[in-house]
Amino acid sequence: MSFPQTAPAPLAVPAGTTGPPTVAGLLREISGVGRDRTRGGYSRPVFSTAETDLRSWFIEQATRRGLDVHTDANGIIWAWWDTATGVRKDAVATGSHLDSVPGGGEYDGPLGVASALVAVDLLQARNFRPRRPLAIAVFPEEEGSRFGIACLGSRLLTGELDPNKARNLRDPDGNTYADVAAANGQDPRFIGADYKALQQLGLFVELHVEQGRGLIDLDQPVAVGSSILGHGRWKLAISGEGNHAGTTLMKDRRDPLIAAAKVVVGIRDTARKYRDARATVGRLQPVPGGTNVIASRVDLWIDVRHPEDSVTAALVEAIGLNAQVLATGEGCSAALSMESLSPTVQFDGGLRDRLQQLLPAAPVLATGAGHDAGVLAAHLPTAMLFVRNPTGISHSPDELVEDRDAEAGAAALADSLAGLLGGARVLG
C-alpha cells in the first residue's frame, strides 16, 4: 500500500475564532455517565445504561457534524465522512470504544472517540476535503468486562470469534449475549464476520490513552505505536466440596477457596520466572459465595502476557500444572480453559513510517495493552497513537490525560488523517 507523501500544514484553528469543541469539553459532557460510587471511576459494561447512553451521545455528535451514521449487525457504530463520489472504498478509519473495565478511568476508550470527533472538526474548520472516505468506528465490548472476551465487536467483524460461541456467552448474572443483545435492539442471528465492511476499509488508526509510563519521561505528548504485547485470558475452575462453615471441622474440609489462594500466589511466583512476563488474577468468584458457606467451586480468571507467544503458551501450561498440584493438595480438582488469545502484533511498517513522517516529533512506543487495532491488524494495515498519561496508571480512577495533551492528541490525529486521506483545502 502507498500513502500520500506530502505532509499537510498543521491544522490549527485560526487565531481569534471560537473554534470547534475540544476533547476535554466533550469528555466533560459525558463525565457523569457510568460513575461507579462503590469502586470509584467508571463502570460502563456493554449494553449497560451507561454504555448505551454514551453510544447515543456519539451518534448525536457524529450526526451534528454531518456524518452518515449507522450501527451494523455486530453493534459497531460507523460514522462516515464521504467523498463527493459517495463510494466507500479504501477508507481511512479511526475510533475506539466507549465501554470500560469495572471502576476504570475516564480516558480509556472515550479519549479516542472524542479525539476522532474533534479531528473531524479541525479538518472541517479548514475546509479540508478528503480524497478518500473517512470512517469513525465505535467498537462494543472492547474490554470484555461483561462477557469475558476482549475486543468482542472487532473479533466478530473479522470472523475471529465464532458467532455461535458469542451468542452463548454469559455475563456474571447468567444472561446470554444473545438475550442481552436482543433486549437492546440488536438481532443476534446476524452477528459474525462482515467481509463487505472490511473491504471498505483501507487502514485503521486508533488513538488511545497511554497505558504505562513512557511519554512523561520523554517529554512528548503523543507517540506512534509499534506493537501490542501478546496476551490472553484463561478461566480456572477449582472444584471442592460445599459445606456448612460451622459444622465442618477444619480437617474434613475440601475448600476450593484455600486452593485458589495458593494458586494465585503460585501464578505470581511462576510468572516471575519468565522475563518480561505478566500474569494477573483480577477476578475471583466463589460459588455460592455465602459468608457462612464453604464454597463448592471457585472460578478465577487469569490474564497472561508476553512478547513471545511461545513463552505465553509455556507460562500458561506451567500455571495449569501447578494449579492441579495445589488443588489436589487441598482435596480439590482444577480445570483450565482458554477464553481468548491475541498473539503479539507488530503494526504495519509502512503505515507506522508514514505517521512518523507526519508527526516527526513523536517517539515510537510499544504497548502491553490489547486494542481493537490489534485485532484488525491481521486484516488491514493498522496503527496507533498514544497520548501522554503522566501517572502511568490505567484501568483505574487514577488514569489521567491533561487537557493540553488531549488537544495535542486530537491535533496529531487530524494531521495524520489529513496526510492519509490525501485531500486538500477548499478556499472560499
Side-chain angles (χ1 to χ4, degrees), residues 1 27 71 74 87 292 395:
M1 168 173 284
L27 292 177
T71 303
N74 294 312
V87 176
N292 59 346
H395 283 186

Side-chain angles (χ1 to χ4, degrees), residues 70 78 80 87-92 133 194-203 380:
H70 77 277
W78 300 93
W80 286 89
V87 176
R88 293 175 178 174
K89 183 178 180 181
D90 197 31
V92 173
D194 189 346
Y195 299 118
K196 181 179 178 181
L198 282 174
Q199 288 170 359
Q200 294 178 320
L201 307 181
L203 58 90
L380 70 156

Side-chain angles (χ1 to χ4, degrees), residues 38-263:
T38 301
R39 302 180 181 94
Y42 294 86
S43 292
R44 298 161 167 168
V46 69
F47 296 128
S48 66
T49 299
E51 196 252 5
T52 54
D53 285 350
L54 292 184
R55 289 167 66 86
S56 296
W57 167 83
F58 171 76
I59 291 170
E60 189 276 330
Q61 288 288 336
T63 302
R64 183 186 300 178
R65 288 161 173 80
L67 306 182
D68 182 38
V69 185
H70 77 277
T71 303
D72 69 16
N74 294 312
I76 303 168
I77 305 173
W78 300 93
W80 286 89
W81 183 3
D82 290 309
T83 63
T85 68
V87 176
R88 293 175 178 174
K89 183 178 180 181
D90 197 31
V92 173
T94 187
S96 193
H97 62 98
L98 292 168
D99 65 303
S100 78
V101 297
E106 182 178 358
Y107 303 93
D108 186 349
L111 178 70
V113 174
S115 297
L117 292 168
V118 170
V120 168
D121 291 334
L122 292 170
L123 293 170
Q124 291 180 342
R126 302 302 293 266
N127 292 321
F128 182 84
R129 295 295 181 267
R131 294 194 183 99
R132 302 166 69 177
L134 172 67
I136 302 177
V138 177
F139 293 96
E141 184 71 330
E142 192 271 352
E143 297 291 3
S145 62
R146 182 164 187 178
F147 292 100
I149 295 184
C151 301
L152 187 144
S154 55
R155 290 182 192 274
L156 285 171
L157 169 70
T158 56
E160 294 190 15
L161 177 62
D162 182 346
N164 287 323
K165 179 178 179 180
R167 280 187 279 266
N168 290 300
L169 292 170
R170 292 184 180 273
D171 68 11
D173 294 324
N175 305 303
T176 67
Y177 179 88
D179 288 343
V180 176
N184 283 271
Q186 179 182 329
D187 194 330
R189 294 176 300 172
F190 302 119
I191 64 173
D194 189 346
Y195 299 118
K196 181 179 178 181
L198 282 174
Q199 288 170 359
Q200 294 178 320
L201 307 181
L203 58 90
F204 179 73
V205 179
E206 181 173 1
L207 180 144
H208 204 277
V209 59
E210 179 187 20
Q211 294 174 288
R213 184 181 177 91
L215 284 167
I216 187 67
D217 297 325
L218 295 172
D219 195 28
Q220 291 292 331
V222 180
V224 176
S226 61
S227 61
I228 295 177
L229 198 67
H231 60 283
R233 296 181 182 185
W234 286 261
K235 178 181 178 181
L236 181 66
I238 302 175
S239 299
E241 183 177 73
N243 215 326
H244 195 290
T247 62
T248 310
L249 299 177
M250 300 304 289
K251 67 181 181 64
D252 295 331
R253 299 186 179 202
R254 296 167 50 211
D255 189 340
L257 195 52
I258 298 299
K262 294 181 178 180
V263 167

